[in-house]
Amino acid sequence: MEDSTSSSDELKKKKKKEEDSEHEKKKKKKNYNNKKGALGWVEWLRGWMYVIHEMLFQRIMASHLQNPIPLPPVNDLTCIVTGSTSGIGREIARQLAESGAHVVMAVRNPKAALDLIQKWQNEWSGMGLPLNIEVMELDLLSLDSVVRFAEAYNARMGPLHVLINNAGIFSIGEPQKFSKDGYEEHLQVNHLAPALLSILLLPSLIRGSPSRIINVNSVMHYVGFVDTEDMNLVSSKRKFTSLVGYSSSKLAQVMFSSVLHKKLPVESGINVVCVSPGIVHTNVARDLSKFVQAAYGLIPYFIFSPQEGSRSTLFAATDPQVPEYCELLKADNWPVCAFLSQDCRPTNPSEESHNVETSYKLWEKTLEMVGLPLDVVERLLEGEQVACRYGADSTD
């Protein structure tokens, strides 16, 4: 009887100890969340200071760069450039083609791309061999379109040396919109679709090894925050604005790129780089208010032209030192992928992008949203075929 009472007392003490421990954990978690919320504001303000600093001083910081930037020999390269009928993408495609690369313009409007090619060929006539450019249709607002594009390109069984995920949207001042796939448009165009495209094109990138995935990002990722439980920004936690949608999608791209960078072994020869083109005067300006458009006109000194804004991407895509830098980061187990600033120099992405736990949660959530298994990279590297729930026999 005495032994039974003693055991009962011990169980009660153990239970109380566990309850106290659980209470202490909750208390610590609450304190951490409060602290994180305060830190979030600090990071947000710091991010805005960085954005303002880049806008005011980007031209001075990049004063050592030539315009256009000279490219190394690229005659043997095949490059896919998304969103290449306007702005930075147009300059990237044109300069790569004029330097001898085989360029695939992946665009939503093939006719506009074909008209551009005709214009470039006419201007180039007599200066050498005809430009090696072609057009393939790709609509990033349709994940079915992304899968069909990747399947069509992979079916060629040819190499891909550089994938440049340039296309993006920033619907300034517009209400929240969703794609037919059910995802917030900034999230899909700026993050989900490029992520899906990058993964699905791994077989071609492997054939083109050494190869690179270049993601045209933005300094605005410094003011972004990612909630993996609310990727569509539909909860009441944060009121949706186009700025929130854009900055969050750009941060998500950096985080996803960082995990992909880690999952690709050095032996694969595939490197992942994010770049900031700087503050550039592109078609985004057409969505701005008349007042802000007027401001754009008053401060041309501070704003890059599309040609100037293309330099960091072209550098990331062609410079022979970039793979060495990526491998160095991998060897050091650096938490984020390579990030190049508008002056073509390595820089550190936002503090929030260094959150490894959130990055891996975002990786898993992204793969779930685009319909791919969690081990997709490993399986593709092994030469397996991986099914995606989009594409197949579906139609837009």
Side-chain angles (χ1 to χ4, degrees):
M1 183 72 180
E2 201 172 304
D3 288 344
S4 176
T5 304
S6 175
S7 297
S8 178
D9 287 343
E10 285 178 13
L11 285 171
K12 285 178 181 177
K13 286 179 184 178
K14 186 178 179 182
K15 185 177 180 183
K16 188 174 187 311
K17 190 176 179 181
E18 287 175 352
E19 287 175 352
D20 290 343
S21 176
E22 189 64 30
H23 178 71
E24 190 63 28
K25 283 180 184 176
K26 287 180 180 177
K27 187 177 177 182
K28 284 182 179 178
K29 187 175 181 181
K30 184 178 180 183
N31 290 337
Y32 171 78
N33 287 337
N34 290 336
K35 185 180 177 185
K36 180 63 182 169
L39 283 173
W41 279 103
V42 172
E43 290 167 14
W44 185 78
L45 289 171
R46 189 187 296 133
W48 273 113
M49 291 299 294
Y50 194 96
V51 171
I52 293 167
H53 178 271
E54 176 142 333
M55 178 175 177
L56 294 177
F57 299 106
Q58 65 177 6
R59 192 169 290 283
I60 295 171
M61 293 163 63
S63 59
H64 63 286
L65 297 177
Q66 296 180 51
N67 188 43
I69 190 170
L71 301 181
V74 293
N75 300 65
D76 297 327
L77 297 187
T78 295
C79 311
I80 292 176
V81 186
T82 68
S84 42
T85 54
S86 64
I88 297 169
R90 175 174 172 168
E91 285 297 321
I92 293 168
R94 182 182 62 79
Q95 290 182 58
L96 284 172
E98 289 181 357
S99 297
H102 169 212
V103 177
V104 179
M105 298 175 71
V107 297
R108 188 175 54 178
N109 185 347
K111 184 181 182 305
L114 290 169
D115 290 344
L116 260 183
I117 291 173
Q118 186 61 56
K119 178 176 179 290
W120 292 341
Q121 295 285 17
N122 292 339
E123 293 172 349
W124 189 252
S125 181
M127 298 176 70
L129 293 172
L131 302 179
N132 188 4
I133 320 180
E134 63 173 304
V135 178
M136 290 181 69
E137 187 173 355
L138 173 65
D139 181 3
L140 298 182
L141 277 170
S142 165
L143 295 180
D144 289 331
S145 175
V146 174
V147 175
R148 289 197 297 270
F149 176 94
E151 287 177 345
Y153 191 86
N154 287 333
R156 300 179 176 190
M157 301 303 290
L160 173 60
H161 303 101
V162 185
L163 168 62
I164 300 178
N165 287 311
N166 161 76
I169 60 168
F170 188 2
S171 303
I172 298 176
E174 293 188 11
Q176 190 172 22
K177 295 178 184 175
F178 296 88
S179 71
K180 76 181 193 77
D181 300 308
Y183 301 128
E184 193 275 319
E185 288 192 354
H186 291 92
L187 175 71
Q188 175 150 336
V189 174
N190 300 339
H191 168 54
L192 294 178
L196 178 60
L197 185 64
S198 299
I199 297 291
L200 294 181
L201 285 175
L202 283 178
S204 293
L205 287 161
I206 291 167
R207 284 191 289 271
S209 176
S211 53
R212 311 178 192 191
I213 299 171
I214 311 298
N215 293 317
V216 181
N217 200 258
S218 169
V219 67
M220 293 301 294
H221 88 272
Y222 281 89
V223 296
F225 289 93
V226 169
D227 181 355
T228 54
E229 300 302 315
D230 184 30
M231 298 281 282
N232 260 345
L233 300 170
V234 292
S235 75
S236 57
K237 292 181 187 176
R238 284 184 296 170
K239 184 181 180 218
F240 176 85
T241 65
S242 51
L243 177 60
V244 168
Y246 180 76
S247 59
S248 299
S249 67
K250 287 299 184 180
L251 175 59
Q253 186 180 57
V254 177
M255 288 180 156
F256 186 89
S257 300
S258 297
V259 178
L260 179 58
H261 157 78
K262 291 175 187 173
K263 285 185 173 287
L264 292 169
V266 173
E267 308 83 65
S268 72
I270 306 172
N271 292 296
V272 185
V273 185
C274 287
V275 299
S276 169
I279 312 295
V280 185
H281 192 224
T282 65
N283 280 352
V284 163
R286 72 187 173 199
D287 298 319
L288 299 172
S289 67
K290 290 183 179 178
F291 174 79
V292 179
Q293 285 191 48
Y296 257 68
L298 291 172
I299 51 174
Y301 177 79
F302 298 106
I303 307 293
F304 279 168
S305 67
Q307 187 176 72
E308 291 169 319
S310 69
R311 293 179 298 192
S312 55
T313 303
L314 288 166
F315 177 86
T318 62
D319 191 271
Q321 296 180 71
V322 170
E324 296 173 21
Y325 177 59
C326 292
E327 289 170 18
L328 181 65
L329 293 180
K330 199 167 287 188
D332 289 346
N333 200 27
W334 192 242
V336 289
C337 66
F339 194 101
L340 301 183
S341 190
Q342 38 75 26
D343 58 2
C344 298
R345 290 178 174 137
T347 190
N348 211 5
S350 73
E351 185 175 336
E352 187 66 18
S353 69
H354 286 65
N355 189 326
V356 175
E357 183 182 353
T358 302
S359 295
Y360 274 94
K361 284 182 180 176
L362 174 113
W363 169 269
E364 293 177 2
K365 186 68 177 178
T366 299
L367 292 181
E368 176 191 325
M369 294 172 83
V370 299
L372 290 173
L374 294 181
D375 61 349
V376 60
V377 173
E378 294 79 3
R379 289 169 61 183
L380 288 173
L381 288 173
E382 290 294 326
E384 291 184 39
Q385 288 193 345
V386 179
C388 175
R389 77 164 176 263
Y390 290 98
D393 297 322
S394 59
T395 57
D396 285 337

